[in-house]
Amino acid sequence: EAENFEADDLIAAYAREAAEAGAIVTIVSSDKDMMQLVGERVTMLDPIKNRPIGVAEVRERFGVDPDKVIEVQALCGDSVDNVPGVPGIGVKTAAELINTYGDLETLLERASEIKQPKRRESLIEHAAKARLSRELVKLDAHAPLPCPLSDLAVKPIDPNVLLPWLREMEFRSLGTRMAQKLEGAQPATVEEARDSEPVVPAFPPFAAGRNYALIDTLEGLDHWIEAAEEAGMVAVQVAPGLAGIALALAPGLAAYVPLAHRGAARQEALDFAARPNALQADAVLARLKPLLEDRGTLKIGHDMKAAARWLLRHGIRVAPYDCTMLMSYVLDGGQFDHAIEELTGRVAEYAMKPMKELVGSGKSLIPFAEVAPEAARDFVAERADAALRLHQVLKARLVAEHMCAFYETIERPLVPAVAAMEHDGIKVDRGALADLSVDFAHRIAEIEAAVYADVGNEFNIGSPKQLGDILFEKLQLPGGKKGKTGAYGTDASILEQLQPLHPVPGRVLEWRQLTKLKSTYADALVDQIDTDDRRVHTTYALTVAATGRFSSNDPNLQNIPVRTEEGRKIRQAFIAEPGHVLLSADYSQIELRLAAHVADIAALKEAFLAGHDIHAATASEVFNVPLDEMTPLIRRRAKAINFGILYGISAFGLGNQIGVPQSEAADYIRAYFERFPGIRNYMERIKAECRSAGYVETIFGRKCFIPGIRDANPAKRMGAERQAINAPLQGSAADIIKRAMGRLPAALAAAGLKARMLLQVHDELLFETTEDEAQATASLVKDVMEGACAPHCELSVPLVVDTGWARTWDAAH
């Protein structure tokens, strides 16, 4: 600090003096005003995007070299910093003018030469403003240094100064680690630091004196916004359908801003909308946008992804933020439901009013906009209040359980990326779906006729009871077992076992697949095409799977079969906009690569490093077949073993899959483990660790809780053991693709590419890009995805991403 100087001036002065002394200077900031300081010995580091900013990046941002940045800023101004600039001139135009005329003063002197009348008149009229703006944005690199550079040299640590200071600042974990590393510290100081474990505060109880306001004027809204900015933190809860927004500033202190309660069916909503000062949604959102995008104010919410998606429709990009739902998910994985009602009930033993009490259910369900504003206030504001209270508890738990870095680098960055994916959606060919529905209906009818002919009578193929009676009583097929309801079991595994014995089980399996694809995709997708943009918008659930994987809902686009002809036909209906292509980027055999890494299997690692066909290499090792004598049949069996082992496949299951007797399949599995004993060692180690801890961890530290690992029932316990074996691999794969997804939007923007990330399907990401940028986009996406582990984890095998692009999703593979 220095009186009469801003921090920016001091940074400029220190950067100048250090550079003149021969140092290499890095300014850690994303502030565009600092870019005027960049030069041969001075660079910047954007801490939000972890991106270096040099001369090239400044040129990309402003269109000029760093020494001309203030000239451009003087013209375009900055409303945030009250820099007036010249009306009607943006960054691009300003850069063109400065590059043409050399500097601001020359431009203003020759303004009369400019051909465009409006631009010429604006420059002449506002010349004084431009000159003033130049002085406002120019940093004083000769400000007095409050502390000489020589005093800032790194000195030996004095533990008797450092450790008490770390305690005072509540850097408990850091204090403990430093105390353990420092030599010569006073014993009492070290012991005190070690005993200073992070304290998790209690959930602030909901008191009877809660104060939830209903904001009905812009002046009232401004007061809440000002208070939020002063506090530096606000909890935000968006009502369903963006009917309103609640803001919470402290436990028990919240307000609700109605946005869409007018024109509603209920009289209370109509009365509220008819008030003289009734707020207009556009005006409210315009007021809220600076607060929601202000990087100096932390926004807290439960399910921030849903809020971000609604706000994105109005051009609002929330930042920075914390999501209590994702915090809970990081801490407790698949152990609990992470809905705010469940979480508040579990943490605070407080029962929140359920949604159905306001909007009803079933046929009596009403839109949230028809709820009376006062009732909506109590409902939405309470959830904002609860999110604020939960944040105190969960943030402290993240620190205490050393999960902050995981949350901040893997889960939290997904919010804007996934919200944008849901918002953008994907184009679907309505005509292709209609043709597919007709095709599926024709084939379903053919299968039904064939089944009836095989059986000798018609029956309801979709009825498990009727099908069971046909299979096990009329056709007398073996293995029929009745369940508690008295009906025979007819699930897919049973029908697969019966396939070799009679044509009906196979036909029924095909019938089930076609009827499901017809109803779920060929028919339902047509109804789910948005009437405004003609695209389908899925919703991703981020906090369901214990392994960290997403699930896609309404519609589920992750369950379209990958390898069947029917699945391919459905994917052909997903298309790019005119002049664009769909670009697929898919991790190749990522779980096998992770298995080779975590189990430390030398032969598999060597095969991956050499770029060999891993299934052929496995077949060669297990079956003693030279690579040049490999047949498709042998390779297919090795592939089934490779993937089956990771999911704990049995000899019975493998035998069914590759069509060999159970005894032969058992021999294959035994030979696999003899050749790769590290795999068995890994499996046994993971099971033991899971039994001890109750969870397994991914390579990044995600805890995947496995219920049933200590179950007395052998079948349940063995099922849990299979989950434990695969969870670290599937979970690590999920973490890797999440890391890539969090980085890709910024990487694409920094490269000036217009591609949009549309879908995530297991190990694949799907983008839409212009035809002329497809190659550049594919190259960048591949680089980011293959480097997603760095810098926190280095794999001993390379990640490989396959890319392709075409007009349809299917052809892009």
Side-chain angles (χ1 to χ4, degrees), residues 125-154:
E125 181 182 349
H126 299 284
K129 283 185 180 179
R131 292 186 175 99
L132 171 64
S133 298
R134 189 180 189 281
E135 294 306 310
L136 290 173
V137 299
K138 184 179 180 181
L139 301 181
D140 187 352
H142 293 277
L145 302 184
C147 179
L149 270 180
S150 57
D151 287 359
L152 300 178
V154 177

Side-chain angles (χ1 to χ4, degrees), residues 772-788:
D772 60 321
E773 291 185 354
Q775 181 63 62
T777 301
S779 179
L780 182 143
V781 168
K782 181 178 175 70
D783 288 344
V784 172
M785 291 177 68
E786 291 181 347

Side-chain angles (χ1 to χ4, degrees), residues 498-518:
L498 296 174
Q499 261 187 291
L501 306 178
H502 197 280
V504 167
R507 296 192 205 279
V508 171
L509 283 171
E510 187 180 1
W511 181 89
R512 284 180 178 176
Q513 182 190 43
L514 287 173
T515 53
K516 182 176 181 179
L517 292 178
K518 182 179 186 299

Side-chain angles (χ1 to χ4, degrees), residues 740-805:
M741 292 174 69
R743 297 173 181 181
L744 275 163
L748 290 166
L753 296 171
K754 296 182 284 293
R756 297 185 292 177
M757 187 162 56
L758 303 185
L759 297 180
Q760 188 263 359
V761 181
H762 306 311
D763 302 326
E764 176 191 10
L765 294 177
L766 191 70
F767 301 80
E768 186 172 42
T769 183
T770 56
E771 293 174 349
D772 60 321
E773 291 185 354
Q775 181 63 62
T777 301
S779 179
L780 182 143
V781 168
K782 181 178 175 70
D783 288 344
V784 172
M785 291 177 68
E786 291 181 347
C789 285
H792 299 97
C793 178
E794 291 295 332
L795 296 183
S796 54
V797 295
L799 292 177
V800 173
V801 172
D802 298 323
T803 60
W805 57 89

Side-chain angles (χ1 to χ4, degrees), residues 5-313:
F5 289 93
E6 293 189 1
D8 290 359
D9 296 325
L10 301 185
I11 292 171
Y14 276 112
R16 176 194 57 77
E17 183 152 318
E20 289 177 357
I24 298 297
V25 179
T26 302
I27 300 172
V28 183
S29 173
S30 57
D31 188 345
K32 63 182 181 300
D33 293 344
M34 295 291 174
M35 293 186 181
Q36 63 186 267
L37 304 175
V38 170
E40 183 181 351
R41 307 190 72 82
V42 180
T43 59
M44 293 172 63
L45 176 66
D46 182 339
I48 305 299
K49 300 177 181 177
N50 194 29
R51 184 173 73 101
I53 300 172
V55 173
E57 287 73 21
V58 174
R59 206 178 286 126
E60 179 184 347
R61 173 71 182 269
F62 285 102
V64 295
D65 286 338
D67 62 336
K68 301 292 184 183
V69 164
I70 58 174
E71 317 279 339
V72 170
Q73 288 182 300
L75 289 170
C76 61
D78 189 338
S79 58
V80 175
D81 289 337
N82 293 317
V83 177
V86 176
I89 294 184
V91 173
K92 186 175 179 181
T93 301
E96 290 175 359
L97 290 170
I98 295 301
N99 284 326
T100 300
Y101 292 93
D103 57 54
L104 178 67
E105 205 54 50
T106 304
L107 167 65
L108 296 176
E109 289 173 0
R110 298 172 58 185
S112 58
E113 301 174 11
I114 293 175
K115 295 180 180 179
Q116 296 91 334
K118 287 186 178 179
R119 188 178 299 174
R120 180 177 62 246
E121 291 168 9
S122 188
L123 282 167
I124 293 171
E125 181 182 349
H126 299 284
K129 283 185 180 179
R131 292 186 175 99
L132 171 64
S133 298
R134 189 180 189 281
E135 294 306 310
L136 290 173
V137 299
K138 184 179 180 181
L139 301 181
D140 187 352
H142 293 277
L145 302 184
C147 179
L149 270 180
S150 57
D151 287 359
L152 300 178
V154 177
K155 300 180 179 69
I157 291 173
D158 182 347
N160 296 311
V161 175
L162 175 64
L163 296 180
W165 183 83
L166 289 173
R167 271 202 318 282
E168 182 185 352
M169 296 295 108
E170 298 186 356
F171 288 112
R172 298 183 179 91
S173 297
L174 180 58
T176 301
R177 294 202 303 275
M178 291 303 298
Q180 291 169 345
K181 290 179 179 294
L182 290 173
E183 295 180 2
Q186 292 181 1
T189 305
V190 175
E191 198 61 38
E192 196 175 347
R194 284 179 178 159
D195 291 341
S196 182
E197 289 300 321
V199 176
V200 177
F203 182 93
F206 281 102
R210 282 179 282 167
N211 183 10
Y212 295 160
L214 188 63
I215 299 174
D216 57 3
T217 67
L218 288 177
E219 291 76 16
L221 176 61
D222 288 339
H223 289 312
W224 279 86
I225 291 173
E226 184 180 351
E229 291 172 340
E230 288 182 5
M233 180 172 69
V234 60
V236 178
Q237 180 70 34
V238 174
L242 200 56
I245 297 178
L247 306 174
L249 298 178
L253 180 61
Y256 179 67
V257 195
L259 296 177
H261 287 271
R262 67 184 57 79
R266 296 194 175 185
Q267 190 59 46
E268 298 96 323
L270 286 168
D271 292 343
F272 186 86
R275 293 178 187 176
N277 295 325
L279 295 176
Q280 298 296 316
D282 290 345
V284 171
L285 292 170
R287 285 287 216 285
L288 286 171
K289 180 179 170 72
L291 171 68
L292 296 175
E293 295 184 341
D294 175 20
R295 290 197 168 273
T297 305
L298 175 67
K299 273 65 69 175
I300 296 164
H302 199 83
D303 192 2
M304 283 299 290
K305 186 261 296 177
R309 177 175 172 178
W310 280 111
L311 293 167
L312 197 57
R313 295 184 179 187

Side-chain angles (χ1 to χ4, degrees), residues 276-529:
N277 295 325
L279 295 176
Q280 298 296 316
D282 290 345
V284 171
L285 292 170
R287 285 287 216 285
L288 286 171
K289 180 179 170 72
L291 171 68
L292 296 175
E293 295 184 341
D294 175 20
R295 290 197 168 273
T297 305
L298 175 67
K299 273 65 69 175
I300 296 164
H302 199 83
D303 192 2
M304 283 299 290
K305 186 261 296 177
R309 177 175 172 178
W310 280 111
L311 293 167
L312 197 57
R313 295 184 179 187
H314 298 271
I316 298 173
R317 298 179 183 274
V318 183
Y321 55 85
D322 264 335
C323 178
T324 50
M325 187 169 76
L326 288 177
M327 288 177 164
S328 176
Y329 182 57
V330 166
L331 290 164
D332 294 315
Q335 291 192 103
F336 309 110
D337 188 319
H338 303 281
I340 195 166
E341 298 87 354
E342 297 290 334
L343 192 53
T344 306
R346 193 169 69 248
V347 173
E349 298 182 352
Y350 177 79
M352 305 181 90
K353 178 181 287 189
M355 173 78 79
K356 65 181 179 182
E357 287 192 18
L358 271 77
V359 300
S361 59
K363 293 183 179 179
S364 63
L365 182 70
I366 64 170
F368 195 87
E370 293 186 14
V371 174
E374 286 78 6
R377 170 200 63 197
D378 294 341
F379 180 85
V380 185
E382 183 179 60
R383 277 152 176 75
D385 185 3
L388 192 72
R389 297 164 190 257
L390 286 167
H391 185 262
Q392 296 182 30
V393 179
L394 298 176
K395 191 74 172 181
R397 276 194 63 195
L398 287 172
V399 173
E401 298 177 30
H402 309 292
M403 295 299 289
C404 271
F406 183 91
Y407 162 72
E408 290 171 358
T409 60
I410 294 182
E411 293 294 352
R412 186 169 65 180
L414 289 172
V415 168
V418 178
M421 288 165 61
E422 294 180 352
H423 172 268
D424 291 339
I426 185 169
K427 191 175 182 67
V428 176
D429 185 338
R430 183 188 293 269
L433 289 174
D435 292 343
L436 199 54
S437 179
V438 171
D439 177 50
F440 284 169
H442 179 68
R443 291 172 60 188
I444 289 168
E446 288 180 342
I447 293 170
E448 289 173 348
V451 169
Y452 299 152
D454 290 333
V455 172
N457 62 275
E458 294 188 4
F459 66 100
N460 183 357
I461 298 176
S463 166
K465 185 178 186 311
Q466 292 184 36
L467 177 62
D469 291 343
I470 291 291
L471 294 175
F472 299 112
E473 292 184 5
K474 183 165 186 176
L475 299 180
Q476 292 291 300
L477 296 177
K481 291 183 181 180
K482 290 187 176 182
K484 294 179 181 179
T485 62
Y488 290 102
T490 59
D491 63 25
S493 62
I494 292 171
L495 295 180
E496 287 168 359
Q497 293 175 40
L498 296 174
Q499 261 187 291
L501 306 178
H502 197 280
V504 167
R507 296 192 205 279
V508 171
L509 283 171
E510 187 180 1
W511 181 89
R512 284 180 178 176
Q513 182 190 43
L514 287 173
T515 53
K516 182 176 181 179
L517 292 178
K518 182 179 186 299
S519 62
T520 306
Y521 297 110
D523 296 340
L525 280 178
V526 173
D527 297 330
Q528 290 170 315
I529 296 174

